Amino acid sequence: MFAQKIRPFLYLGALYLTISLITRIVFLFHPITTASFGIFEILKILLTGVLNDVLVFVITCPFLALYFLFLSNSKYQKPYGQIILSLLILLFLYILLIPNNIFKQYGGSIAEIALTFIGLKIIFFALMFFLPERRLQIRNSLYFVTLFLYVLLIVFNAVSEYFFYNEFGLRYNFIAVDYLIYTNEVIGNIMESYPVIPLFLAIAAVTLTITVLIYRRTKTELSDLPNLKQKTILMGSYLVLCGISLLGLNFTTKIKSNNVFGEEIQANGLPKFYWAFTHNELDYFQFYPEINQQQAEKSFLSQFTPPVLQRNIIPAAPELKKNVVLISIESLSADFLAHYGNTQKITPFLDSLADQSLIFTNLYATGNRTVRGLEALTLCIPPTAGESIIKRENNKNKFTTGSVFKSKGYDVKFLYGGYSYFDNMEDFYKGNGYDIVDRNNFTPEEITFANVWGVADEDMARKAISTMNAEARSGKPFFNHWMTVSNHRPFTYPNGKIDIPGDAKSREGGVKYTDYALRKFFEMAKQQSWYRNTVFVIIADHCASSAGDTELPMDKYRIPAMIFSEGFIRPQKFTQTMSQIDVMPTLFGLLNFKYQSKFLGQDVMTRQFQPKAYVATYEDLGLISDNHLTIISPVRKVKQYALVQQKNNLSPEFNLYFDENPLKEKDQNKTLINATISAYQSTSYWLKNNKLNR
């Protein structure tokens, strides 16, 4: 009886082990595998691999186990059937009709996916409830679909692992995680690189054939479902096996081979994918072009005076102990502002403030995620391969913007309208000496509107004013870094504030409401005693979109930035190319701060400044310099684009850069390629060896 009930698992497991073994053998003899193996090493690799596969298969079966757990006839009996069907219908209506239900709060397609799933569940439950004579037939059909999906995943995963190994000589790593994030770009690349239609047809044919074979041998199990006692024994046994498998993988994944190829071939791709997803790192020295380390550091540090990593910044004038408020605005592309050519009038306050500020008109974000922007403004270093340092384990005790202010006796805080545990912000900022003010610090009376991302920017503005008033009363200067939230999907905010309804879920509305909230913040700030002694830095964390025709579309990285201080900062435009990592070193220069610096950004107001910008995705690392965009990528790929300056007809005072076609290797600027490698290799080396810690 027991063996019969687990027959589907046995067949699927045998399929998984067979395909995994074939894949492993293919890897052993693949041309990219340049290592040679003796007979005993091959046996060790294969046996370790089979053991890994058994343990992984057990861990990946919970959905199938739950599917069999909920198979029963009793739930269709009265009154249970009516109750369950009624609850499903009520849940469907809740998602469909309630405007701000929990699914719609998250934006995107989550509500539509939930509606589809619940709708299908209602249809099939109703059919099996009202047509008991067809119940077994319907159940068999659903079982066939379930088997098909499992077999498809097994076959598709094997094909995916083959192509990944074919390109990188490795199992899944952070690049595979990156592929999930940049789905459009990846699908486009696959469509252009492989015969997709024949390949998918072959996968579908193999999957269908295997599914039919397994279905015919196991469908009789659905005619005699296990009772509650048998299900309890089966689920208990499965949970014990899961525990054993987790412990076993902790051991088998640490078994070493004589070389990297051996370790990769004996490994299973799914645990490696999970590890990459949770560790967020991509080893620069394994995937990217390199030059001599000393040469790389010498080249990169030549922009600084003196040309060393830790250097003394000695200003010519006395220090100014002014308060500093850094406002990083969620998803604010430069082209949302009239100053950059927009005609929608959705940022009237920021445009008016720009006229009174030092505005940087040709500044580029380092990435396209909030944590990357926060990293640039806090650590002032070029982006590195993989996830932002904020989300990594080794993210504490770094040399930061906040540590410079703390050394000057400042009160240092990070302000965020949501829960700062999101994206690991709380762990990062607390671990680097910042105090946190987030949604946890709000009383119910202080919140007039909130969505899934946090309280409305207007509420956070009031909280920021009260926080700064308390800091000012302490007698200490303060540095507060405020990250806004309202200009983020689902773009909801209080009605009646601007001329776009708060429930329209419009990006333009999100931008305009954030602009409105910032106006309110400055109106309140002007009434405070500390206002005249405060410098405000307003900058976007990244653009609203990152999709484009090239790996790093420059127009999707250009962001607005300005420094404003009434009576202190003279209004002017800085038009040279610069990076997000240059903003805070420039501010410290304006304040005449004397400090020991490890920042890798420059004060753009100095004679030593070299116009350039760093732009990156999770794996493509770029340098904009001297009318070129140079990109380095895995595996040791280099691309370079020549850039031309064109006038923006809507705002002719600003130049915009546009990409041309990639340069052929013989036409590439080798000096800029070496500069790009030097910057990213040096930064990666210093991070790896904790050279950028305090």
Side-chain angles (χ1 to χ4, degrees):
M1 175 67 182
F2 184 82
Q4 289 179 333
K5 295 307 176 187
I6 64 170
R7 215 191 277 178
F9 294 90
L10 295 177
Y11 276 102
L12 287 172
L15 170 68
Y16 182 66
L17 294 179
T18 302
I19 289 181
S20 296
L21 179 61
I22 294 171
T23 305
R24 203 165 272 114
I25 293 172
V26 170
F27 289 168
L28 277 170
F29 296 99
H30 194 288
I32 205 171
T33 307
T34 55
S36 57
F37 304 100
I39 185 65
F40 291 109
E41 181 68 11
I42 290 175
L43 287 173
K44 172 181 168 291
I45 288 171
L46 295 179
L47 289 173
T48 305
V50 169
L51 183 56
N52 276 323
D53 296 338
V54 170
L55 300 176
V56 168
F57 178 75
V58 171
I59 294 171
T60 55
C61 283
F63 293 108
L64 191 60
L66 288 173
Y67 170 78
F68 282 106
L69 178 66
F70 286 101
L71 287 179
S72 73
N73 289 315
S74 59
K75 64 183 177 184
Y76 299 107
Q77 296 174 1
K78 298 179 181 180
Y80 306 115
Q82 291 99 323
I83 294 172
I84 294 172
L85 185 58
S86 299
L87 290 174
L88 288 171
I89 293 172
L90 286 174
L91 179 58
F92 184 86
L93 293 174
Y94 165 76
I95 300 171
L96 181 66
L97 302 177
I98 304 300
N100 292 314
N101 67 70
I102 190 171
F103 297 95
K104 291 182 180 178
Q105 282 291 310
Y106 286 90
S109 302
I110 293 177
E112 288 76 9
I113 292 170
L115 269 179
T116 303
F117 178 79
I118 300 300
L120 289 172
K121 186 67 178 175
I122 290 171
I123 292 170
F124 287 113
F125 191 92
L127 287 172
M128 297 177 78
F129 177 72
F130 292 112
L131 302 172
E133 69 280 2
R134 297 283 186 180
R135 191 173 298 162
L136 182 59
Q137 185 179 347
I138 297 169
R139 184 179 289 142
N140 283 342
S141 300
L142 293 175
Y143 173 59
F144 183 88
V145 172
T146 304
L147 278 180
F148 181 86
L149 292 175
Y150 256 87
V151 174
L152 178 63
L153 286 173
I154 291 171
V155 175
F156 189 81
N157 176 67
V159 174
S160 299
E161 284 208 82
Y162 170 78
F163 283 115
F164 195 86
Y165 191 88
N166 187 61
E167 184 169 357
F168 300 106
L170 298 166
R171 296 278 190 172
Y172 295 141
N173 57 19
F174 195 82
I175 298 174
V177 178
D178 192 36
Y179 282 3
L180 287 183
I181 296 167
Y182 291 95
T183 310
N184 291 337
E185 290 84 350
V186 172
I187 290 175
N189 177 58
I190 291 171
M191 295 289 287
E192 293 176 2
S193 304
Y194 301 104
V196 173
I197 294 176
L199 182 63
F200 280 10
L201 288 174
I203 291 173
V206 170
T207 300
L208 186 61
T209 302
I210 296 172
T211 303
V212 169
L213 291 174
I214 296 177
Y215 173 75
R216 287 177 176 174
R217 295 173 184 271
T218 59
K219 68 176 182 177
T220 55
E221 309 309 321
L222 300 185
S223 60
D224 183 21
L225 298 176
N227 56 37
L228 182 59
K229 180 181 177 181
Q230 291 169 332
K231 286 182 178 180
T232 303
I233 295 172
L234 289 169
M235 284 304 298
S237 302
Y238 175 70
L239 291 174
V240 170
L241 283 174
C242 277
I244 294 172
S245 298
L246 287 170
L247 292 173
L249 275 176
N250 191 47
F251 169 74
T252 58
T253 52
K254 295 175 182 176
I255 297 176
K256 299 297 181 183
S257 183
N258 293 334
N259 54 63
V260 173
F261 285 109
E263 291 182 9
E264 292 294 326
I265 295 169
Q266 74 186 20
N268 185 288
L270 296 179
K272 290 181 71 67
F273 182 91
Y274 175 78
W275 189 93
F277 187 81
T278 54
H279 286 74
N280 306 319
E281 296 180 38
L282 189 61
D283 188 351
Y284 179 93
F285 300 94
Q286 188 176 8
F287 292 101
Y288 292 85
E290 292 180 65
I291 58 176
N292 176 271
Q293 183 60 36
Q294 289 184 330
Q295 179 187 342
E297 292 185 26
K298 182 179 179 181
S299 171
F300 182 63
L301 292 172
S302 64
Q303 64 187 296
F304 301 112
T305 304
V308 293
L309 177 58
Q310 183 167 308
R311 56 203 178 275
N312 291 318
I313 307 297
I314 303 175
E319 285 189 352
L320 300 170
K321 288 288 185 73
K322 289 184 175 290
N323 307 308
V324 175
V325 178
L326 168 61
I327 305 174
S328 45
I329 303 175
E330 175 68 49
S331 305
L332 188 73
S333 303
D335 55 17
F336 286 145
L337 274 68
H339 268 273
Y340 296 83
N342 190 286
T343 59
Q344 296 172 290
K345 298 181 180 179
I346 53 177
T347 58
F349 173 70
L350 286 175
D351 281 311
S352 67
L353 194 68
D355 292 331
Q356 309 167 57
S357 303
L358 164 59
I359 179 172
F360 305 104
T361 64
N362 206 22
L363 186 148
Y364 293 87
T366 58
N368 42 41
R369 312 293 291 182
T370 295
V371 285
R372 190 62 90 184
L374 294 177
E375 171 192 272
L377 294 169
T378 305
L379 301 179
C380 305
I381 64 173
T384 50
E387 183 58 272
S388 164
I389 293 163
I390 290 175
K391 298 184 74 172
R392 299 184 191 176
E393 292 179 358
N394 184 23
N395 67 358
K396 298 175 179 61
N397 300 313
K398 302 296 182 189
F399 183 78
T400 67
T401 305
S403 64
V404 173
F405 281 113
K406 278 222 163 187
S407 71
K408 304 294 180 184
Y410 277 66
D411 194 339
V412 175
K413 286 185 173 66
F414 176 68
L415 283 60
Y416 182 64
Y419 296 108
S420 58
Y421 65 78
F422 178 76
D423 262 351
N424 211 42
M425 290 184 286
E426 181 179 24
D427 178 68
F428 172 75
Y429 280 107
K430 280 189 174 180
N432 285 288
Y434 287 67
D435 293 324
I436 304 286
V437 177
D438 67 2
R439 187 166 177 173
N440 288 310
N441 299 99
F442 280 76
T443 64
E445 295 75 24
E446 292 177 307
I447 302 174
T448 63
F449 183 90
N451 62 19
V452 67
W453 290 111
V455 303
D457 285 346
E458 202 178 350
D459 291 339
M460 188 67 243
R462 284 188 285 269
K463 188 70 172 180
I465 293 294
S466 65
T467 299
M468 294 169 198
N469 286 342
E471 290 170 318
R473 287 193 294 270
S474 73
K476 294 172 64 177
F478 57 80
F479 166 62
N480 288 331
H481 184 170
W482 169 20
M483 179 71 225
T484 73
V485 300
S486 290
N487 184 32
H488 195 298
R489 191 176 300 278
F491 307 116
T492 55
Y493 46 86
N495 279 315
K497 303 294 183 176
I498 59 174
D499 56 3
I500 302 175
D503 52 7
K505 298 186 179 180
S506 151
R507 178 175 287 282
E508 290 73 20
V511 172
K512 194 165 188 176
Y513 173 73
T514 293
D515 183 82
Y516 167 86
L518 290 174
R519 180 191 296 277
K520 292 298 179 183
F521 170 75
F522 275 89
E523 288 175 355
M524 291 184 284
K526 284 184 179 181
Q527 300 172 17
Q528 313 307 319
S529 59
W530 45 263
Y531 172 75
R532 300 286 298 186
N533 192 43
T534 301
V535 180
F536 300 90
V537 182
I538 300 97
I539 183 170
D541 61 344
H542 58 84
C543 283
S545 171
S546 60
D549 295 330
T550 65
E551 299 91 335
L552 297 169
M554 292 174 52
D555 58 325
K556 304 300 184 182
Y557 284 81
R558 194 173 184 219
I559 57 172
M562 62 192 81
I563 299 177
F564 168 80
S565 183
E566 200 169 307
F568 171 54
I569 297 295
R570 181 174 62 86
Q572 59 180 305
K573 297 181 180 72
F574 185 87
T575 60
Q576 296 185 71
T577 301
M578 63 180 288
S579 173
Q580 205 172 20
I581 72 172
D582 298 322
V583 172
M584 295 309 287
T586 301
L587 173 73
F588 291 139
L590 293 171
L591 295 174
N592 300 320
F593 270 16
K594 179 182 178 181
Y595 64 104
Q596 277 197 333
S597 177
K598 290 186 179 179
F599 292 139
L600 304 182
Q602 284 189 282
D603 178 351
V604 302
M605 297 300 182
T606 61
R607 289 193 301 273
Q608 294 81 20
F609 174 65
Q610 299 175 9
K612 64 188 172 306
Y614 303 100
V615 292
T617 63
Y618 288 94
E619 60 174 284
D620 294 315
L621 309 174
L623 173 68
I624 302 168
S625 179
D626 194 21
N627 288 337
H628 286 78
L629 169 62
T630 308
I631 302 171
I632 55 176
S633 310
V635 232
R636 297 178 172 81
K637 296 177 183 176
V638 177
K639 278 188 179 181
Q640 193 172 76
Y641 296 84
L643 307 175
V644 293
Q645 291 183 315
Q646 294 185 2
K647 290 291 185 180
N648 178 357
N649 294 328
L650 297 175
S651 182
E653 61 183 308
F654 295 108
N655 289 326
L656 296 177
Y657 287 83
F658 290 85
D659 291 345
E660 291 187 336
N661 294 323
L663 295 173
K664 295 180 180 179
E665 185 175 356
K666 64 182 179 65
D667 299 323
Q668 291 178 347
N669 185 317
K670 307 303 181 188
T671 301
L672 290 177
I673 291 175
N674 281 335
T676 306
I677 295 171
S678 296
Y680 288 110
Q681 180 178 324
S682 298
T683 305
S684 300
Y685 178 82
W686 291 328
L687 279 170
K688 188 175 183 178
N689 293 279
N690 296 320
K691 300 291 186 181
L692 297 177
N693 286 12
R694 289 200 295 267

